[in-house]
Amino acid sequence: LFDYDAENTRIAEAALEIVRQQKRPGLHMPTAADIEKGTSVRPPCRFEHVEARDESSGEAVQVVLDVAHNPDAMTQLVAKLEKTYPGRRKRIVCGFSSDKDLTACGRALLSTVGEDPSCIHLVEAAHPRAAKLEDMLEAEPRLRGCNFDETDRSITAQVKSGLRLAAESDELLVVCGSVFLMAESREALGFDEPRDSDYIAEVAGANLRHGQENFADTDPEKQDVDQ
């Protein structure tokens, strides 16, 4: 399987090299060093490696954040995890958008953990396009053996549970499935990062807990606008 992250880097490098060779007047031309430096910086939550600590034990846990969100992306993520961490036990926190093939995503998810659903934590993002727990479980019944809580469907609860169990068993924790999970996941992992103010979250984020994630919606027909 291809490493799509590496492939995207090569595409960016090739595009910048074409610009550099054109030598257009008045346009700053990137040097080879500029291109190498610029493409070496990875976007957040694209196979991003971070370290977090379990609150109860204080143990450090290695975490991978990745926005793989459809069957093909999940398959690529599984392959890259195995290549990067061969033989390493993995624990997955995951949720999906409702418009994805939940059956295929669930199967790819199970393959990540050797078909052991007890190493999976299912969440339901606080977003109108997030898949419901019931729909994910119906699409792939084997996921009924995973970790989830119908009374507290929050990302935070399962990230903290995943951190605790990963620390106990020296596992790699992976958070994936949807861009809608990432802001709350990073907060639960202990990252204090800039966010929209409560006012902006209410106006632009349709009252979502993490309003900036509303900007992942690019289809204007799927956004509610008060006239």
Side-chain angles (χ1 to χ4, degrees):
L1 294 172
F2 288 110
D3 182 338
Y4 277 82
D5 193 45
E7 183 180 51
N8 289 339
T9 296
R10 291 193 294 270
I11 291 171
E13 289 173 342
L16 288 168
E17 180 61 25
I18 291 172
V19 172
R20 190 178 73 85
Q21 292 178 3
Q22 288 179 345
K23 298 179 180 179
R24 295 182 181 179
L27 182 65
H28 171 69
M29 293 296 125
T31 65
D34 291 334
I35 293 174
E36 181 178 0
K37 181 179 180 181
T39 55
S40 67
V41 179
R42 306 311 310 143
C45 302
R46 270 72 171 182
F47 212 75
E48 180 183 9
H49 301 257
V50 299
E51 184 178 281
R53 291 194 177 274
D54 168 43
E55 290 180 349
S56 56
S57 67
E59 291 290 326
V61 176
Q62 297 300 312
V63 183
V64 171
L65 301 169
D66 195 280
V67 292
H69 61 283
N70 58 40
D72 184 55
M74 290 296 297
T75 300
Q76 300 300 329
L77 174 60
V78 170
K80 188 164 184 175
L81 284 168
E82 286 305 310
K83 181 179 179 180
T84 309
Y85 300 98
R88 181 79 183 273
R89 284 180 55 85
K90 302 168 186 69
R91 181 164 295 277
I92 314 293
V93 177
C94 190
F96 297 105
S97 296
S98 58
D99 60 345
K100 306 306 178 191
D101 184 338
L102 299 180
T103 300
C105 286
R107 289 171 181 167
L109 197 56
L110 284 162
S111 72
T112 310
V113 293
E115 307 298 322
D116 180 3
S118 68
C119 294
I120 296 172
H121 298 250
L122 276 189
V123 300
E124 185 179 308
H127 193 281
R129 288 175 57 194
K132 299 293 184 183
L133 282 175
E134 292 83 356
D135 294 336
M136 290 185 277
L137 296 173
E138 181 179 355
E140 176 44 86
R142 289 179 296 169
L143 291 176
R144 295 185 185 279
C146 73
N147 301 278
F148 60 90
D149 187 339
E150 292 182 318
T151 60
D152 182 357
R153 305 181 179 214
S154 70
I155 298 164
T156 297
Q158 292 302 327
V159 167
K160 289 185 179 297
S161 174
L163 270 176
R164 177 178 56 80
L165 294 173
E168 290 176 359
S169 303
D170 190 27
E171 297 168 326
L172 176 74
L173 184 64
V174 181
V175 182
C176 61
S178 173
V179 67
F180 303 136
L181 275 61
M182 293 303 164
E184 186 175 342
S185 295
R186 294 176 73 90
E187 183 179 299
L189 291 168
F191 292 95
D192 184 12
E193 298 172 321
R195 297 198 306 273
D196 292 333
S197 69
D198 291 342
Y199 178 76
I200 292 177
E202 182 178 353
V203 174
N207 262 330
L208 303 179
R209 182 177 176 201
H210 294 82
Q212 69 270 31
E213 293 182 350
N214 192 50
F215 296 109
D217 287 326
T218 55
D219 184 350
E221 293 183 359
K222 294 181 179 179
Q223 296 184 17
D224 294 326
V225 179
D226 292 332
Q227 302 263 334

